[in-house]
Amino acid sequence: MLAVPDGRVVATTDFLLEGRHFRRDWSGPADVGHKAAARSLADLAAMGAEPSALLVALAAPPDLPVAWARDLARGLADECAQAGASVIGGDTARADHVLLAVTGLGDLAGRAPVRRSGAAPGDLVAVAGPLGHAAAGLALLTAGVRDDPLVRAQLRPAPPYDAGPQAADLGATAMIDVSDGLLADLGHVADASGVRINLDSGALRPARDLLAAARAVTGSRSHSSRTGLVTRPPGDLARHWVLTGGEDHALAATFPPGTPLPPRWRVIGAARPGDGVVVDGRPQAQSPGWDHFR
């Protein structure tokens, strides 16, 4: 039984699949636990809720070491603790590969839920948290680079959980966590709200660490269309990660014009009449992000 002060609960559910979302030769069991928890906890924060609890169902091969499962549970618990939540139950089953199904529950604490459908023309578009870091980490791992600090962003994303309730208190009109890519996820907000989101490229310039990672990747011989490891200038590759890289679980939100925002919230554009997402007024030819069914 879960008691929440507000009396209302928001819920989300997510999968973490071995070979799709993580590889055991790259990720330790604690890494997998942290990542599995972060995906659902960030969804709760993106609704303006305070994460309360996770239900975790684990399916695994019969030869999975018990120590691996224990470290997985430790990673789940540690990530929950960072968000003020806990694991309160779940289930286990046998499978050929490791699979986690995570259901997250959050307390609105008296707030109205922040949906994707509330943005209006004139609203500011802002983001809290990093963009492109997890995509850079995946590209580095694919290229055989393990010692870059950005690799940790792929293995253990660090969503800004408290920024979600903060955005709700500031009057956020819409919000989403960036799991599939900035263009893709803001596209969901634009579609649900019936607005066009115009991003400012100047506010999305890749930082030095992303540019350095892009140089390392483009200098390697490994290439993969899944991660964007194609022959292109490092600056273009870094920009690609910022715009389309998912799994950072940063929070993107819209706010009424003139809303004074704390420094952690970076204004990156504005909502306008129309539809879709554009950068400097121009549609983007590239794929907007990860498509689960492509």
Side-chain angles (χ1 to χ4, degrees), residues 17 34 89 114 118 130 182 197 226 248 263 268 279 286:
L17 311 175
H34 277 274
V114 184
L182 183 66
I197 292 178
R226 165 66 180 88
D248 284 305
I268 60 171
V279 179
Q286 62 191 324

Side-chain angles (χ1 to χ4, degrees), residues 37-291:
R39 291 162 66 89
S40 288
L41 294 169
D43 278 341
L44 298 170
M47 290 183 271
E50 298 173 5
S52 300
L54 296 184
L55 297 164
V56 181
L58 168 66
D63 60 351
L64 185 77
V66 172
W68 199 98
R70 286 174 175 161
D71 285 345
L72 168 73
R74 187 174 300 112
L76 284 161
D78 288 348
E79 189 65 31
C80 280
Q82 294 183 41
S86 58
V87 178
I88 62 171
D91 196 8
T92 56
R94 176 174 175 165
D96 293 334
H97 302 283
V98 176
L99 181 156
L100 290 99
V102 182
T103 296
L105 305 172
D107 177 22
L108 288 167
R111 305 176 186 89
V114 184
R115 308 177 190 274
R116 301 177 181 182
S117 56
D123 280 357
L124 305 173
V125 179
V127 65
L131 294 172
H133 288 199
L138 178 58
L140 288 163
L141 285 168
T142 304
V145 179
R146 299 293 300 269
D147 57 354
D148 192 290
L150 289 174
V151 168
R152 184 177 176 85
Q154 167 59 216
L155 302 182
R156 294 192 184 189
Y161 300 121
D162 59 334
Q166 179 188 55
D169 291 339
L170 290 167
T173 54
M175 186 157 45
I176 194 169
D177 87 300
V178 182
S179 56
D180 295 331
L182 183 66
L183 295 180
D185 289 314
L186 284 179
H188 299 320
V189 172
D191 290 345
S193 299
V195 298
R196 167 173 285 200
I197 292 178
N198 184 32
L199 298 177
D200 176 8
S201 63
L204 295 168
R205 290 193 183 96
R208 291 181 181 177
D209 52 354
L210 286 183
L211 291 170
R215 285 192 291 271
V217 167
T218 56
S220 77
R221 296 183 178 181
S222 300
H223 299 280
S224 167
S225 60
R226 165 66 180 88
T227 59
L229 303 189
V230 295
T231 303
R232 64 172 79 189
D236 288 351
L237 180 55
R239 181 176 181 272
H240 174 78
W241 290 335
V242 169
L243 291 176
T244 70
E247 296 191 301
D248 284 305
H249 301 288
L251 299 183
T254 58
F255 297 89
T259 301
L261 297 178
R264 74 187 308 177
W265 285 97
R266 296 182 290 126
V267 176
I268 60 171
R272 304 295 185 210
D275 58 81
V277 181
V278 296
V279 179
D280 298 333
R282 296 187 297 272
Q284 299 298 290
Q286 62 191 324
S287 170
W290 176 244
D291 182 342

